[in-house]
Amino acid sequence: MKKTFLTILLALFATILVACGNDSALKESESTSGESNNGSEKEVITIGYQKGNTLNILKEHGNLDEALSEAGYQVEWKVFPTGTVLLEALNTNNLDFGHASDGNAVFMQAGGHPLHYVASESPYPEGVALVVKADSDIKSVEDFKGKTIGVTKGGNQHYLLLVALEQAGISQDEVDIKFYKDAAEGLAAFTKGEFDVYGTWDPYLAIVENTVETRTIVNGSDLTENRTFYFATEELLSEKTDVVSIILEELQNADQWANENKEEISKILAKELGLDVEPIQQANERRSFGVQKIDDTITLSQQQLADTFYKAGLLESEISVQEAVQIDDAIIPDNIQ
């Protein structure tokens, strides 16, 4: 049975209000403390994460805290509402390691901020889609001409839209693109009929599918990889390569555990996000968790995203993703391909 719109919308607003608290709450750490065997304080490694993502799983699993403690370090976890805010904290050395989306990364680099890619999460193309209401007369991307399409500016669904339009031979001027600021606002606008086409991402895509009778016109398959990337400070990469290797190894271990325990993971993430378990489970069933080494193919895909946003007038300047991908292969642990 479909969840009521009001119930889902209230849950989304609750999630966003929690995420958008004041700066002091934002920066408040959720840390574990400890001392080395000789009684001296351990050096702190600060990791930034967003609720509902893979570093959130790593935090809850607890294996990284244990592994770094054995190596003489203490983990401090900091939660952030968006990848952009997280990358800003990383850029100002308020974090050592964190994650952000593909779009967050290219916007940060185009703004003149140095980035240091470390690794990638597995692609998640089915986790982003352009949907319409079930009774819509829109049957394909070719029918988007003259229609109003809602996306978040620079988001993964915005990129999917641009690629889908280009493939269909439709210019941006032939559609009316409307930007919404967050999942709650987008769902409300789509439900009220303000958008003919709605671009969204998991787990909110799954929520929409369980709230409104919809049809998916196109998802990311064969159009966008929809990746999360991992980043570190230059200092961590140059002076504490052992820490980077441990983080990646334990992140991969947690990811593989997540693949084998998706029902349990869904419960954990639902609690973190303040959402029902069912859509989280639905979202997790269409993805695979796993850390990947950034190779030429992944770099090229990220470059294509950056070039597309630049051509659309969204980036301040052209960038070279390769310049930010200078990871030493020796840092990558053996359990990552």
Side-chain angles (χ1 to χ4, degrees), residues 200-260:
T200 187
W201 68 100
D202 271 335
Y204 306 108
L205 170 60
I207 290 174
V208 172
E209 292 169 337
N210 284 273
T211 306
V212 185
E213 294 287 347
T214 62
R215 284 186 290 108
T216 296
I217 300 300
V218 63
N219 64 25
S221 299
D222 300 321
L223 293 177
T224 174
E225 294 185 343
N226 188 29
R227 288 181 182 270
T228 291
F229 287 95
Y230 299 104
F231 304 89
T233 61
E234 183 177 3
E235 180 182 357
L236 192 72
L237 287 169
S238 61
E239 299 180 11
K240 298 183 179 67
T241 56
D242 60 324
V243 171
V244 179
S245 295
I246 291 171
I247 292 173
L248 293 178
E249 181 176 6
E250 296 306 326
L251 183 56
Q252 179 73 319
N253 289 338
D255 272 357
Q256 295 312 307
W257 174 76
N259 283 328
E260 297 165 3

Side-chain angles (χ1 to χ4, degrees), residues 58-78:
L58 179 64
K59 174 182 176 291
E60 295 303 312
H61 194 230
N63 54 308
L64 178 62
D65 298 74
E66 183 178 349
L68 282 179
S69 180
E70 291 176 357
Y73 299 94
Q74 172 188 332
V75 181
E76 182 180 21
W77 297 94
K78 291 188 177 182

Side-chain angles (χ1 to χ4, degrees), residues 87 90-91 93 96-99 105 108-109 113-119 229-238 244 294 321-327:
L87 290 177
L90 195 67
N91 190 52
N93 291 315
D96 296 303
F97 188 93
H99 63 164
M108 185 63 64
Q109 190 177 353
H113 306 291
L115 280 183
H116 303 283
Y117 287 81
V118 177
F229 287 95
Y230 299 104
F231 304 89
T233 61
E234 183 177 3
E235 180 182 357
L236 192 72
L237 287 169
S238 61
V244 179
I294 301 178
V321 173
Q322 183 61 55
E323 290 180 358
V325 182
Q326 302 295 330
I327 187 73

Side-chain angles (χ1 to χ4, degrees), residues 130 141-142 144-145 149 157-175 177 218 222-223 303-312:
L130 302 172
V141 176
E142 285 73 14
F144 284 5
K145 286 185 179 181
I149 306 168
Q157 355 79 52
H158 193 178
Y159 178 62
L160 172 61
L161 172 62
L162 294 175
V163 175
L165 290 176
E166 182 177 12
Q167 190 176 79
I170 301 172
S171 73
Q172 291 184 68
D173 296 336
E174 294 178 283
V175 298
I177 301 177
V218 63
D222 300 321
L223 293 177
Q303 185 66 53
Q304 290 171 339
L305 183 147
D307 293 344
T308 298
F309 278 155
Y310 177 72
K311 291 176 184 177

